[in-house]
Amino acid sequence: MKKILAIALALCLALSLGIEIFADNSVVIPPVPSTVAPNSSANKYVWSATDSKGNPVNTDIAILETGAIYEETKEYQPIGVYEIKLPSTNVTGPITVDVYAPGVTADCKVLVRDGWEILEGATLQVNGSRATFTADADVIRQWKYFAIVKDYKEDTVDVQTPQEAADGANDPDAGDDMSAGETPDETPAEKNPETGIVLAVLPMVAAAAAIVISKKR
């Protein structure tokens, strides 16, 4: 009987070391930290970033769902708008970020807030509700804001090729290059007879003749 009581007492002492019992008989269990995989679609506030060699890069990424920056993208049907910061100034080269983007598809576009233009070399990859895209570290530092959008059409300039009018119409030089044998429409103006000198001499001849006649009389 004494052995049974001793074993029971030992068990009670062991249990008392693992559980904290308060006056109200409540039991407190220390919380266990939750872990979420970097590429999990379960948490939109989880992200990751790597350099060109696949090494982790320290980044600070915020999802914008309201505000002036977000409103600028509304016409493009945004899937996600992100503010990306690189705390370290030593990071250079391309940075690939993994972000939460529900509804993203392979034909979506990645924009950068350089007038909200297409991000060159983004190479968008889709994995469920996650998306990865790449931006140069200097571009991230300069512009900070990026967006994955559904509806974006690049501005195109409609260049119209001028066409020549038929038969040389509207051609200022068309009248200067006439084919041989063609007759101009207008008749050249008649030239004045070259009689100016003769008319000027006749009065002098008449005057001289009168003088001769008067001397003979």
Side-chain angles (χ1 to χ4, degrees):
M1 187 66 181
K2 291 183 179 180
K3 290 182 179 181
I4 295 174
L5 293 175
I7 292 172
L9 181 60
L11 290 174
C12 292
L13 291 174
L15 291 174
S16 65
L17 295 176
I19 300 175
E20 298 179 9
I21 300 176
F22 293 88
D24 58 354
N25 296 326
S26 61
V27 179
V28 177
I29 301 176
V32 178
S34 61
T35 58
V36 180
N39 294 327
S40 172
S41 61
N43 193 338
K44 67 179 180 178
Y45 299 109
V46 173
W47 66 85
S48 66
T50 55
D51 60 16
S52 59
K53 297 180 180 180
N55 299 319
V57 175
N58 183 22
T59 55
D60 185 10
I61 302 178
I63 300 177
L64 306 182
E65 297 177 330
T66 58
I69 301 297
Y70 177 80
E71 291 296 325
E72 292 176 3
T73 67
K74 289 293 288 293
E75 61 180 300
Y76 309 126
Q77 298 183 28
I79 296 294
V81 182
Y82 313 93
E83 180 183 7
I84 306 177
K85 297 179 182 179
L86 292 175
S88 175
T89 58
N90 297 326
V91 178
T92 59
I95 305 298
T96 299
V97 297
D98 178 289
V99 292
Y100 178 71
V104 65
T105 56
D107 59 347
C108 289
K109 301 291 188 299
V110 181
L111 307 183
V112 58
R113 196 175 180 260
D114 179 9
W116 291 116
E117 298 178 350
I118 292 288
L119 176 63
E120 297 294 337
T123 60
L124 177 67
Q125 300 292 326
V126 176
N127 180 17
S129 295
R130 309 293 303 185
T132 62
F133 62 88
T134 302
D136 191 82
D138 291 337
V139 174
I140 294 175
R141 290 191 184 92
Q142 183 175 5
W143 303 110
K144 293 194 306 180
Y145 298 103
F146 299 84
I148 300 175
V149 300
K150 280 187 175 181
D151 184 19
Y152 182 83
K153 297 178 178 62
E154 296 185 76
D155 295 333
T156 57
V157 180
D158 185 11
V159 179
Q160 297 182 352
T161 304
Q163 298 179 355
E164 293 185 4
D167 300 329
N170 301 325
D171 187 354
D173 298 329
D176 297 338
D177 187 14
M178 299 181 64
S179 302
E182 292 184 1
T183 304
D185 295 337
E186 296 183 359
T187 303
E190 296 182 358
K191 296 183 179 180
N192 293 328
E194 298 178 359
T195 58
I197 298 176
V198 177
L199 294 175
V201 172
L202 285 176
M204 297 177 62
V205 173
I211 293 172
V212 172
I213 294 172
S214 63
K215 287 183 176 182
K216 289 182 178 181
R217 292 180 179 179

Coordinates of all heavy atoms in Angstrom, one line a residue, residues 102-166:
P102 N -4.0 37.0 -56.0 CA -5.2 36.1 -56.3 C -5.8 36.5 -57.6 O -6.0 37.6 -57.9 CB -6.1 36.4 -55.1 CG -5.7 37.8 -54.6 CD -4.2 37.9 -54.8
G103 N -6.0 35.5 -58.4 CA -6.6 35.7 -59.7 C -5.6 36.0 -60.8 O -6.0 36.2 -62.0
V104 N -4.3 35.9 -60.5 CA -3.3 36.2 -61.5 C -3.3 35.1 -62.6 O -3.6 33.9 -62.3 CB -1.9 36.3 -60.9 CG1 -1.5 35.0 -60.3 CG2 -0.9 36.8 -61.9
T105 N -3.1 35.4 -63.8 CA -2.9 34.5 -64.9 C -1.7 34.8 -65.7 O -1.1 35.9 -65.6 CB -4.2 34.6 -65.9 OG1 -4.3 35.9 -66.3 CG2 -5.4 34.1 -65.2
A106 N -1.3 33.9 -66.6 CA 0.0 34.0 -67.3 C 0.0 35.2 -68.3 O 1.0 35.7 -68.6 CB 0.3 32.7 -68.1
D107 N -1.2 35.6 -68.7 CA -1.3 36.7 -69.7 C -1.3 38.1 -69.0 O -1.5 39.1 -69.7 CB -2.4 36.6 -70.6 CG -3.8 36.5 -69.9 OD1 -3.8 36.4 -68.7 OD2 -4.8 36.6 -70.6
C108 N -1.3 38.2 -67.7 CA -1.2 39.4 -67.0 C 0.1 40.2 -67.3 O 1.1 39.6 -67.7 CB -1.4 39.2 -65.5 SG -3.0 38.7 -65.0
K109 N 0.1 41.5 -67.0 CA 1.3 42.3 -67.2 C 1.8 42.8 -65.9 O 1.0 43.1 -65.0 CB 0.9 43.5 -68.1 CG 0.4 43.0 -69.5 CD 1.5 42.4 -70.4 CE 1.0 42.2 -71.8 NZ -0.1 41.3 -71.9
V110 N 3.1 43.0 -65.8 CA 3.7 43.7 -64.7 C 4.1 45.1 -65.0 O 4.8 45.3 -66.0 CB 5.0 42.9 -64.2 CG1 5.6 43.5 -62.9 CG2 4.6 41.4 -63.9
L111 N 3.6 46.1 -64.2 CA 3.9 47.5 -64.5 C 4.8 48.0 -63.4 O 4.7 47.6 -62.3 CB 2.5 48.3 -64.5 CG 1.5 47.8 -65.5 CD1 0.3 48.7 -65.5 CD2 2.0 47.6 -66.9
V112 N 5.5 49.1 -63.8 CA 6.3 49.8 -62.8 C 5.9 51.2 -62.9 O 5.5 51.8 -63.9 CB 7.8 49.7 -63.2 CG1 8.1 50.2 -64.6 CG2 8.7 50.4 -62.1
R113 N 5.9 51.9 -61.7 CA 5.4 53.3 -61.7 C 6.3 54.3 -62.3 O 6.6 55.3 -61.7 CB 5.0 53.6 -60.2 CG 4.1 54.9 -60.1 CD 3.7 55.1 -58.7 NE 2.9 56.3 -58.5 CZ 3.2 57.5 -58.2 NH1 4.5 57.7 -57.9 NH2 2.4 58.5 -58.1
D114 N 6.8 54.0 -63.4 CA 7.5 55.0 -64.3 C 6.5 55.4 -65.3 O 6.6 55.1 -66.5 CB 8.7 54.3 -64.9 CG 9.5 55.3 -65.8 OD1 9.2 56.5 -65.8 OD2 10.4 54.8 -66.6
G115 N 5.4 56.1 -64.8 CA 4.3 56.4 -65.6 C 3.4 55.1 -65.9 O 2.6 55.1 -66.8
W116 N 3.6 54.1 -65.0 CA 2.9 52.8 -65.1 C 3.1 52.3 -66.5 O 2.2 52.1 -67.3 CB 1.4 52.9 -64.7 CG 1.2 53.2 -63.3 CD1 0.6 54.3 -62.8 CD2 1.5 52.4 -62.2 NE1 0.5 54.2 -61.4 CE2 1.1 53.1 -61.0 CE3 2.1 51.1 -62.1 CZ2 1.3 52.5 -59.7 CZ3 2.3 50.6 -60.8 CH2 1.9 51.3 -59.6
E117 N 4.4 51.9 -66.7 CA 4.8 51.3 -68.0 C 5.1 49.8 -67.7 O 5.3 49.4 -66.6 CB 6.0 52.0 -68.6 CG 5.7 53.5 -68.9 CD 6.9 54.2 -69.4 OE1 8.0 53.6 -69.4 OE2 6.8 55.3 -69.9
I118 N 5.2 49.1 -68.8 CA 5.6 47.7 -68.8 C 7.0 47.5 -68.2 O 7.9 48.2 -68.6 CB 5.5 47.0 -70.2 CG1 4.1 46.9 -70.7 CG2 6.2 45.6 -70.2 CD1 3.2 45.9 -70.1
L119 N 7.1 46.6 -67.2 CA 8.4 46.3 -66.6 C 9.2 45.4 -67.5 O 8.8 44.2 -67.7 CB 8.2 45.7 -65.2 CG 9.5 45.3 -64.5 CD1 10.3 46.5 -64.2 CD2 9.1 44.5 -63.2
E120 N 10.3 45.9 -68.1 CA 11.1 45.1 -69.0 C 11.7 44.0 -68.2 O 12.3 44.2 -67.1 CB 12.1 46.0 -69.6 CG 11.5 47.1 -70.5 CD 10.8 46.5 -71.7 OE1 11.1 45.4 -72.1 OE2 9.9 47.3 -72.3
G121 N 11.7 42.8 -68.8 CA 12.4 41.6 -68.2 C 11.7 41.1 -67.0 O 12.3 40.4 -66.1
A122 N 10.4 41.3 -66.8 CA 9.7 40.9 -65.6 C 9.6 39.4 -65.5 O 9.6 38.8 -64.4 CB 8.3 41.6 -65.5
T123 N 9.4 38.7 -66.6 CA 9.3 37.3 -66.7 C 8.3 36.7 -65.6 O 8.6 36.0 -64.7 CB 10.6 36.5 -66.6 OG1 11.2 36.9 -65.3 CG2 11.6 36.9 -67.7
L124 N 7.0 37.2 -65.8 CA 6.0 36.8 -64.8 C 5.8 35.3 -64.8 O 5.6 34.7 -65.8 CB 4.7 37.5 -65.1 CG 3.5 37.2 -64.2 CD1 3.7 37.7 -62.8 CD2 2.2 37.8 -64.9
Q125 N 5.8 34.7 -63.6 CA 5.5 33.3 -63.4 C 4.3 33.1 -62.4 O 4.3 33.8 -61.4 CB 6.7 32.5 -62.9 CG 8.0 32.6 -63.8 CD 7.8 31.8 -65.1 OE1 7.1 30.8 -65.1 NE2 8.4 32.3 -66.2
V126 N 3.4 32.2 -62.7 CA 2.2 32.0 -61.9 C 2.2 30.7 -61.3 O 2.5 29.6 -61.9 CB 0.9 32.2 -62.8 CG1 -0.3 32.0 -62.0 CG2 0.9 33.6 -63.4
N127 N 1.8 30.6 -60.0 CA 1.7 29.4 -59.3 C 0.5 29.5 -58.3 O 0.7 29.9 -57.1 CB 3.0 29.1 -58.5 CG 2.9 27.8 -57.7 OD1 2.0 26.9 -58.0 ND2 3.8 27.6 -56.8
G128 N -0.7 29.2 -58.8 CA -1.9 29.3 -58.0 C -2.2 30.8 -57.7 O -2.3 31.5 -58.7
S129 N -2.2 31.1 -56.5 CA -2.5 32.5 -56.1 C -1.2 33.3 -55.9 O -1.2 34.4 -55.3 CB -3.3 32.6 -54.8 OG -4.6 32.1 -55.1
R130 N -0.1 32.7 -56.2 CA 1.2 33.3 -56.1 C 1.8 33.7 -57.4 O 1.4 33.1 -58.5 CB 2.2 32.4 -55.4 CG 1.8 31.8 -54.1 CD 1.6 32.8 -53.0 NE 2.8 33.6 -52.7 CZ 2.9 34.4 -51.6 NH1 1.8 34.6 -50.8 NH2 4.0 35.1 -51.4
A131 N 2.6 34.8 -57.5 CA 3.2 35.2 -58.7 C 4.6 35.6 -58.4 O 4.9 36.2 -57.3 CB 2.4 36.3 -59.3
T132 N 5.5 35.4 -59.3 CA 6.9 35.9 -59.2 C 7.2 36.7 -60.4 O 6.8 36.5 -61.5 CB 7.9 34.7 -59.1 OG1 7.9 34.0 -60.3 CG2 7.7 33.8 -57.9
F133 N 8.0 37.8 -60.2 CA 8.5 38.6 -61.2 C 9.8 39.2 -60.8 O 10.2 39.3 -59.7 CB 7.5 39.8 -61.6 CG 7.2 40.7 -60.5 CD1 8.0 41.9 -60.4 CD2 6.1 40.6 -59.7 CE1 7.7 42.8 -59.3 CE2 5.8 41.5 -58.7 CZ 6.6 42.6 -58.5
T134 N 10.6 39.6 -61.8 CA 11.9 40.1 -61.6 C 12.1 41.6 -62.0 O 11.6 42.0 -63.0 CB 12.9 39.2 -62.4 OG1 12.8 37.9 -62.1 CG2 14.4 39.7 -62.2
A135 N 12.8 42.3 -61.1 CA 13.1 43.7 -61.4 C 14.5 44.0 -60.9 O 15.0 43.4 -60.0 CB 12.1 44.6 -60.7
D136 N 15.2 44.9 -61.6 CA 16.5 45.2 -61.2 C 16.5 46.0 -59.9 O 15.6 46.8 -59.6 CB 17.2 46.1 -62.3 CG 18.7 46.3 -62.1 OD1 19.5 45.4 -62.4 OD2 19.1 47.3 -61.5
A137 N 17.5 45.8 -59.1 CA 17.6 46.4 -57.8 C 17.5 48.0 -57.9 O 16.9 48.6 -57.1 CB 18.9 46.0 -57.0
D138 N 18.2 48.5 -58.9 CA 18.2 50.0 -59.0 C 16.8 50.5 -59.4 O 16.4 51.6 -59.0 CB 19.2 50.4 -60.1 CG 20.6 50.2 -59.7 OD1 20.8 50.2 -58.4 OD2 21.5 50.1 -60.5
V139 N 16.1 49.7 -60.2 CA 14.7 50.1 -60.6 C 13.8 50.0 -59.3 O 12.9 50.9 -59.1 CB 14.2 49.1 -61.7 CG1 12.7 49.4 -62.0 CG2 15.0 49.3 -63.0
I140 N 14.0 49.0 -58.5 CA 13.2 48.9 -57.3 C 13.4 50.1 -56.4 O 12.5 50.7 -55.8 CB 13.5 47.6 -56.5 CG1 13.0 46.4 -57.4 CG2 12.8 47.6 -55.2 CD1 13.4 45.1 -56.8
R141 N 14.7 50.5 -56.2 CA 15.0 51.7 -55.4 C 14.5 53.0 -55.9 O 14.0 53.9 -55.2 CB 16.5 51.8 -55.2 CG 17.2 50.7 -54.4 CD 18.6 51.0 -54.1 NE 19.3 49.9 -53.4 CZ 19.9 48.9 -54.0 NH1 20.1 48.9 -55.3 NH2 20.5 47.9 -53.3
Q142 N 14.5 53.1 -57.2 CA 14.0 54.4 -57.8 C 12.5 54.5 -57.9 O 12.0 55.6 -57.6 CB 14.6 54.5 -59.3 CG 14.2 55.8 -59.9 CD 14.9 56.0 -61.3 OE1 15.5 55.0 -61.8 NE2 14.7 57.1 -61.9
W143 N 11.8 53.5 -58.2 CA 10.3 53.6 -58.4 C 9.5 53.0 -57.3 O 8.4 53.5 -57.1 CB 10.0 53.0 -59.7 CG 10.7 53.6 -60.9 CD1 11.7 53.0 -61.6 CD2 10.6 54.9 -61.4 NE1 12.2 53.9 -62.6 CE2 11.5 55.1 -62.4 CE3 9.8 56.0 -61.0 CZ2 11.6 56.3 -63.2 CZ3 9.9 57.2 -61.7 CH2 10.8 57.3 -62.8
K144 N 9.9 51.9 -56.6 CA 9.3 51.3 -55.5 C 7.9 50.6 -55.8 O 7.7 49.6 -55.2 CB 9.1 52.3 -54.4 CG 10.3 52.8 -53.7 CD 10.0 53.6 -52.4 CE 9.0 54.7 -52.6 NZ 8.7 55.3 -51.3
Y145 N 7.1 51.2 -56.6 CA 5.7 50.7 -56.8 C 5.6 49.8 -58.0 O 6.1 50.2 -59.1 CB 4.7 51.8 -56.8 CG 4.7 52.6 -55.6 CD1 5.3 53.9 -55.5 CD2 4.1 52.1 -54.4 CE1 5.3 54.6 -54.3 CE2 4.1 52.9 -53.2 CZ 4.7 54.1 -53.2 OH 4.7 54.8 -52.0
F146 N 5.0 48.7 -57.9 CA 4.8 47.7 -59.0 C 3.4 47.2 -58.9 O 2.8 47.2 -57.9 CB 5.8 46.6 -58.9 CG 7.3 47.0 -59.0 CD1 7.9 47.5 -57.8 CD2 7.9 47.0 -60.2 CE1 9.2 47.9 -57.9 CE2 9.3 47.4 -60.2 CZ 9.9 47.9 -59.1
A147 N 2.9 46.8 -60.1 CA 1.5 46.3 -60.1 C 1.4 45.1 -61.1 O 2.0 45.1 -62.2 CB 0.5 47.4 -60.5
I148 N 0.6 44.1 -60.8 CA 0.2 43.1 -61.7 C -1.2 43.3 -62.1 O -2.1 43.4 -61.3 CB 0.4 41.7 -61.0 CG1 1.8 41.4 -60.6 CG2 -0.1 40.6 -62.0 CD1 2.0 40.1 -59.8
V149 N -1.4 43.5 -63.4 CA -2.7 44.0 -63.9 C -3.2 43.0 -65.0 O -2.4 42.3 -65.7 CB -2.6 45.4 -64.4 CG1 -2.2 46.3 -63.3 CG2 -1.7 45.5 -65.6
K150 N -4.5 43.0 -65.2 CA -5.2 42.2 -66.3 C -5.3 42.9 -67.6 O -5.0 42.4 -68.6 CB -6.6 41.8 -65.8 CG -6.6 40.6 -64.8 CD -8.1 40.2 -64.6 CE -8.2 39.0 -63.7 NZ -9.6 38.6 -63.5
D151 N -5.6 44.2 -67.5 CA -6.0 44.9 -68.8 C -5.0 46.1 -69.0 O -5.1 47.1 -68.4 CB -7.4 45.5 -68.7 CG -7.8 46.1 -70.0 OD1 -7.2 45.9 -71.0 OD2 -8.8 46.9 -70.0
Y152 N -4.0 45.9 -69.8 CA -3.1 46.9 -70.1 C -2.7 46.8 -71.6 O -2.2 45.8 -72.1 CB -1.8 46.9 -69.3 CG -0.8 48.0 -69.6 CD1 -1.0 49.2 -69.0 CD2 0.2 47.8 -70.5 CE1 -0.1 50.3 -69.2 CE2 1.1 48.9 -70.7 CZ 0.9 50.1 -70.1 OH 1.8 51.1 -70.4
K153 N -2.9 47.9 -72.4 CA -2.5 48.0 -73.8 C -1.5 49.1 -74.0 O -1.8 50.2 -73.6 CB -3.8 48.2 -74.6 CG -4.8 47.1 -74.5 CD -6.0 47.4 -75.4 CE -7.1 46.2 -75.3 NZ -7.6 46.0 -73.9
E154 N -0.4 48.7 -74.5 CA 0.6 49.7 -74.8 C 0.2 50.7 -75.9 O -0.5 50.3 -76.8 CB 1.9 49.0 -75.3 CG 2.5 48.1 -74.2 CD 3.9 47.6 -74.6 OE1 4.9 48.3 -74.6 OE2 3.9 46.4 -75.0
D155 N 0.5 51.9 -75.7 CA 0.2 53.0 -76.6 C 0.9 52.7 -77.9 O 2.1 52.5 -78.0 CB 0.5 54.4 -76.1 CG -0.3 54.7 -74.9 OD1 -1.4 54.2 -74.8 OD2 0.2 55.5 -74.1
T156 N 0.2 52.7 -79.1 CA 0.8 52.6 -80.4 C 0.5 53.8 -81.2 O -0.6 54.4 -81.1 CB 0.2 51.3 -81.1 OG1 -1.2 51.5 -81.2 CG2 0.5 50.1 -80.3
V157 N 1.5 54.1 -82.1 CA 1.3 55.3 -82.9 C 0.9 54.8 -84.3 O 1.6 54.0 -84.9 CB 2.7 56.1 -83.0 CG1 2.5 57.3 -84.0 CG2 3.1 56.5 -81.7
D158 N -0.2 55.3 -84.8 CA -0.7 54.9 -86.1 C -0.1 55.8 -87.2 O -0.4 57.0 -87.4 CB -2.2 55.1 -86.2 CG -2.8 54.6 -87.5 OD1 -2.1 53.9 -88.2 OD2 -4.0 54.9 -87.7
V159 N 0.9 55.2 -87.9 CA 1.7 56.0 -88.9 C 1.0 55.7 -90.2 O 0.9 54.5 -90.7 CB 3.1 55.5 -88.9 CG1 3.9 56.3 -90.0 CG2 3.8 55.8 -87.6
Q160 N 0.5 56.7 -90.9 CA -0.1 56.6 -92.2 C 0.9 56.9 -93.3 O 1.6 57.9 -93.3 CB -1.3 57.5 -92.3 CG -2.4 57.2 -91.3 CD -3.6 58.1 -91.5 OE1 -3.5 59.0 -92.3 NE2 -4.7 57.8 -90.8
T161 N 1.0 56.0 -94.3 CA 2.0 56.2 -95.4 C 1.3 57.1 -96.4 O 0.2 56.8 -96.9 CB 2.3 54.9 -96.0 OG1 2.9 54.0 -95.0 CG2 3.4 55.0 -97.1
P162 N 2.0 58.2 -96.8 CA 1.4 59.1 -97.8 C 1.3 58.4 -99.1 O 2.2 57.7 -99.5 CB 2.3 60.3 -97.8 CG 3.6 59.8 -97.2 CD 3.3 58.7 -96.3
Q163 N 0.2 58.7 -99.9 CA 0.1 58.1 -101.2 C 0.1 59.2 -102.2 O -0.5 60.3 -102.0 CB -1.3 57.3 -101.2 CG -1.4 56.1 -100.3 CD -2.7 55.4 -100.4 OE1 -3.6 55.9 -101.1 NE2 -2.8 54.3 -99.6
E164 N 0.7 58.8 -103.4 CA 0.8 59.8 -104.5 C -0.6 59.9 -105.1 O -1.3 58.9 -105.4 CB 1.8 59.4 -105.5 CG 3.3 59.4 -104.9 CD 4.2 59.1 -106.0 OE1 3.8 59.0 -107.2 OE2 5.4 59.0 -105.7
A165 N -1.0 61.2 -105.4 CA -2.2 61.4 -106.1 C -2.1 61.0 -107.6 O -1.0 61.1 -108.2 CB -2.6 62.9 -106.0
A166 N -3.2 60.6 -108.2 CA -3.1 60.1 -109.6 C -2.8 61.3 -110.5 O -3.3 62.4 -110.3 CB -4.5 59.5 -110.0

